[in-house]
Each structure stands twice: as structure tokens, then as C-alpha cells.
Amino acid sequence: MLVDKTLARQAAWTSQVAQSDCTDKIIVQNLAVTVNAGTDVWGRKKKQRALVSVTVTLGNHFSSASSTDTVDESTVHYGTLSKAIQTRIQDDILDWMNTPDLSISLAGIVRTAAGSAPIFAIETDVCYLKGSMFGDGVGHQASIITHSGVYSNVLYLKNVRVPCLIGVNSNERLQKQPVVVNLWVDCVPASRVDDYTALETALVQIVSATAYETLESLLAFVVQELSVKFFTREEDQGAYIRLRMEKPMAVPFADAPAVEITRPVRSV
């Protein structure tokens, strides 16, 4: 198996950025757009609504912009950046593209909109609100350090609600209760990013059929089952599954207790 030495886990990528002297960032959060990318909840290649977020880490402090109270070449105009994203990726002449290509396109838009401003790193997040049947959305986070080419790739499922039999108390053994699942696949191969619908289906089927007493056991079982039933390709080896589960009905005076684990995808 070939290993991409420039692909890093998200935590390692974030650490590299944190260890640099580059601390000034320009951020656009949850920009609503319509994109001809990814697939809808039925797996169809058609236009859909998305929320796009972009974080630009500058190569230098924006000292001249702050000292003159102007938007100059030391920074990136977030209004110009937002308009450039909306104009470019909503262009009707664009053919359908997969989600990794959309993320690459967004990074290119950032470079163009930044002009001569020095860029150290670019982070993009594309969230399809209707890409999930049982959750609040699915998405792809892509991050790159521009001078070294070190990048991270994360696929995520957000707040997937699944009823299952879970709990140690006698009343909890009488009826299924909802668990809220958040799943991140770190170092995901680009070829698997648009498999989010199939991944959610596998996740729901696995969780709903269980009857564990503890979230700890349930989490470990689900990761194992995903490795056996979904992440079966050679290219999947090297990815990491981060899985978080909440029981919103378990503690009356808390939103929810939660347990989280991270495990490598292992061939079985």
C-alpha cells in the first residue's frame, strides 16, 4: 500500500499550524450556496444546498491593515472572498463535480481572492444539509499548508439520530431510546468522500440492531463493524474513525452524556 507522506491526521495538521508564527486568520462561516456537487440523500448527482466555511491563515500579521484601519494587501477582504465563492461555485455552466474537487476549487478561489496577501494555510468545510437522512448534515473538511503541501482530509456525519436498546437501568431495557451519533473519518481517501450516504446507512443499520448496556461497548462494536462492512478497500487502510455518541434522554438535568473514541481502520 502506497502512503501519501503529505497526508496528515487533522490533529497533527492543526498542531503544525499552531507551532508556526502564523496566527492571524480571516474566516467566513456557513456561507449558504447552491452547488452542483456531491450527491443528495438518495445518491443522485444533482444541485443541492450547502454551507461553506473557509479559514485563511495568513503568512504574516496584518499589521499594516490594523495600524491604518484599512483593508490592504496584508489581509484578505472577507466580503470579496464571500462574493467570489458564491459567484464561482454557483455558476450555472459548471458541470457536476465530486466533493473533493469542490474543496480544491474553493482553495483556488481563496488564493485568487487573496491577491498578494501571503497565505500560510487554507481550511475549507463543505456541509450538505440534506445529504443525511437521519442527521443534521454530512460534510468534508479539507486543510492544506500551502508551502509544504501537508494536508488533511476529513469526512463527517453530523448528529445522526438512531434508536437502539442501550443502558444499564431496568427501565432502559424495556424500550429503545435515541442515541445521537457524530462520526469523523480522518485521512479519508478522496475516492470515499462521496460515499457518505452509504456510510450513514451502514451506521444506522449497525447501531439500531444492538442491545448493549454501555456506550463504551457500543462504540467499540460499531467501529469494528464499520471496518468489516464498510471500510473494506485497500485504500481505506490508514484512515481513522472518530466516533462520538450521546444519550439525550439519560440524564434529566444535562443536555446529554457522551462517550467518544478514535480508532484506526483495520482490515479484518
Side-chain angles (χ1 to χ4, degrees):
M1 179 182 63
L2 295 177
V3 178
D4 184 349
K5 295 182 179 179
T6 60
L7 177 61
R9 293 178 63 182
Q10 179 64 33
W13 187 92
T14 302
S15 178
Q16 287 193 38
V17 174
Q19 290 172 16
S20 73
D21 293 327
C22 303
T23 56
D24 294 2
K25 301 175 186 287
I26 305 299
I27 302 167
V28 175
Q29 297 185 99
N30 294 332
L31 182 67
V33 294
T34 300
V35 297
N36 190 13
T39 64
D40 67 8
V41 73
W42 306 106
R44 299 174 297 183
K45 296 178 180 179
K46 57 187 303 182
K47 289 185 178 181
Q48 60 180 316
R49 183 184 174 213
L51 295 181
V52 169
S53 298
V54 172
T55 299
V56 184
T57 301
L58 299 173
N60 298 312
H61 295 167
F62 44 63
S63 302
S64 61
S66 59
S67 62
T68 61
D69 197 20
T70 60
V71 181
D72 64 9
E73 295 179 349
S74 69
T75 188
V76 177
H77 193 305
Y78 50 76
T80 300
L81 175 58
S82 299
K83 290 177 183 177
I85 292 172
Q86 290 176 314
T87 299
R88 177 58 183 146
I89 67 176
Q90 295 187 129
D91 193 329
D92 288 336
I93 68 171
L94 289 178
D95 293 331
W96 178 88
M97 67 180 78
N98 61 40
T99 303
D101 283 348
L102 175 59
S103 296
I104 292 171
S105 178
L106 286 169
I109 294 170
V110 169
R111 290 185 176 95
T112 300
S116 59
I119 297 177
F120 179 75
I122 301 171
E123 302 166 68
T124 62
D125 186 318
V126 177
C127 180
Y128 301 129
L129 299 176
K130 297 297 181 69
S132 169
M133 183 70 75
F134 301 101
D136 292 338
V138 302
H140 178 232
Q141 298 170 336
S143 310
I144 187 167
I145 297 174
T146 56
H147 75 279
S148 67
V150 173
Y151 71 99
S152 71
N153 238 1
V154 180
L155 166 66
Y156 64 87
L157 307 182
K158 183 178 179 182
N159 293 334
V160 181
R161 297 166 184 84
V162 189
C164 68
L165 201 61
I166 181 73
V168 299
N169 298 317
S170 58
N171 58 293
E172 292 182 300
R173 308 313 297 174
L174 300 176
Q175 183 176 343
K176 289 185 175 183
Q177 62 179 300
V179 294
V180 180
V181 185
N182 283 274
L183 184 151
W184 299 263
V185 186
D186 202 347
C187 295
V188 62
S191 61
R192 301 304 309 267
V193 171
D194 281 335
D195 290 341
Y196 45 79
T197 301
L199 176 58
E200 184 186 56
T201 298
L203 176 68
V204 170
Q205 289 176 347
I206 293 167
V207 174
S208 62
T210 60
Y212 285 98
E213 293 191 352
T214 66
L215 287 175
E216 288 84 350
S217 292
L218 176 57
L219 284 162
F221 174 76
V222 171
V223 169
Q224 176 72 8
E225 287 292 284
L226 286 175
S227 293
V228 173
K229 297 180 178 179
F230 188 83
F231 294 107
T232 56
R233 303 178 189 174
E234 182 179 359
E235 62 191 340
D236 296 331
Q237 309 308 308
Y240 288 79
I241 299 173
R242 177 182 161 207
L243 193 62
R244 176 187 177 96
M245 290 190 183
E246 304 173 6
K247 286 174 60 179
M249 310 306 294
V251 179
F253 298 102
D255 287 343
V259 180
E260 178 178 310
I261 65 172
T262 301
R263 299 287 188 271
V265 170
R266 299 187 184 279
S267 57
V268 178

